Coordinates of all heavy atoms in Angstrom, one line a residue:
F33 N -21.1 -19.9 66.7 CA -20.8 -18.4 66.7 C -22.1 -17.7 67.1 O -23.2 -17.9 66.6 CB -20.4 -18.0 65.3 CG -20.1 -16.5 65.2 CD1 -19.0 -16.0 65.8 CD2 -21.0 -15.7 64.6 CE1 -18.7 -14.6 65.7 CE2 -20.8 -14.3 64.5 CZ -19.6 -13.8 65.0
D34 N -21.9 -16.7 68.0 CA -23.0 -15.9 68.5 C -22.7 -14.4 68.2 O -21.8 -13.8 68.8 CB -23.2 -16.1 70.0 CG -24.4 -15.3 70.6 OD1 -25.1 -14.6 69.8 OD2 -24.7 -15.4 71.8
P35 N -23.4 -13.8 67.2 CA -23.1 -12.4 66.9 C -23.3 -11.5 68.0 O -22.5 -10.5 68.2 CB -24.1 -12.1 65.8 CG -24.6 -13.5 65.2 CD -24.5 -14.4 66.4
T36 N -24.2 -11.8 68.9 CA -24.4 -10.9 70.1 C -23.2 -10.9 71.0 O -22.7 -9.9 71.5 CB -25.7 -11.3 70.9 OG1 -26.8 -11.3 70.0 CG2 -25.9 -10.4 72.1
A37 N -22.7 -12.1 71.2 CA -21.5 -12.2 72.1 C -20.3 -11.5 71.4 O -19.5 -10.8 72.1 CB -21.1 -13.7 72.3
A38 N -20.1 -11.6 70.1 CA -19.1 -10.9 69.4 C -19.2 -9.4 69.5 O -18.3 -8.7 69.7 CB -19.0 -11.4 68.0
A39 N -20.5 -9.0 69.4 CA -20.8 -7.5 69.5 C -20.6 -7.0 70.9 O -20.5 -5.8 71.1 CB -22.2 -7.3 69.0
V40 N -20.5 -7.9 71.9 CA -20.2 -7.5 73.3 C -18.8 -7.6 73.6 O -18.2 -6.6 74.2 CB -21.1 -8.3 74.3 CG1 -20.7 -8.0 75.7 CG2 -22.6 -8.0 74.1
F41 N -18.2 -8.7 73.3 CA -16.8 -9.0 73.7 C -15.8 -7.9 73.1 O -15.0 -7.4 73.9 CB -16.4 -10.4 73.3 CG -16.7 -11.4 74.3 CD1 -17.7 -12.4 74.1 CD2 -16.0 -11.5 75.5 CE1 -18.0 -13.3 75.1 CE2 -16.3 -12.4 76.5 CZ -17.3 -13.4 76.2
I42 N -15.9 -7.7 71.8 CA -14.9 -6.9 71.2 C -15.0 -5.4 71.6 O -14.0 -4.8 72.0 CB -15.0 -7.0 69.7 CG1 -14.7 -8.5 69.2 CG2 -14.1 -6.1 68.9 CD1 -15.0 -8.8 67.8
P43 N -16.2 -4.8 71.6 CA -16.2 -3.4 72.1 C -15.9 -3.3 73.6 O -15.3 -2.3 74.1 CB -17.7 -3.0 71.9 CG -18.2 -3.9 70.8 CD -17.5 -5.2 71.0
A44 N -16.3 -4.4 74.4 CA -16.0 -4.3 75.8 C -14.5 -4.3 76.1 O -13.9 -3.6 76.9 CB -16.6 -5.5 76.5
V45 N -13.8 -5.2 75.3 CA -12.3 -5.2 75.5 C -11.7 -3.9 75.0 O -10.8 -3.4 75.7 CB -11.7 -6.4 74.6 CG1 -10.2 -6.3 74.6 CG2 -12.2 -7.7 75.2

Side-chain angles (χ1 to χ4, degrees):
F33 179 73
D34 185 357
T36 303
V40 170
F41 272 110
I42 298 172
V45 171

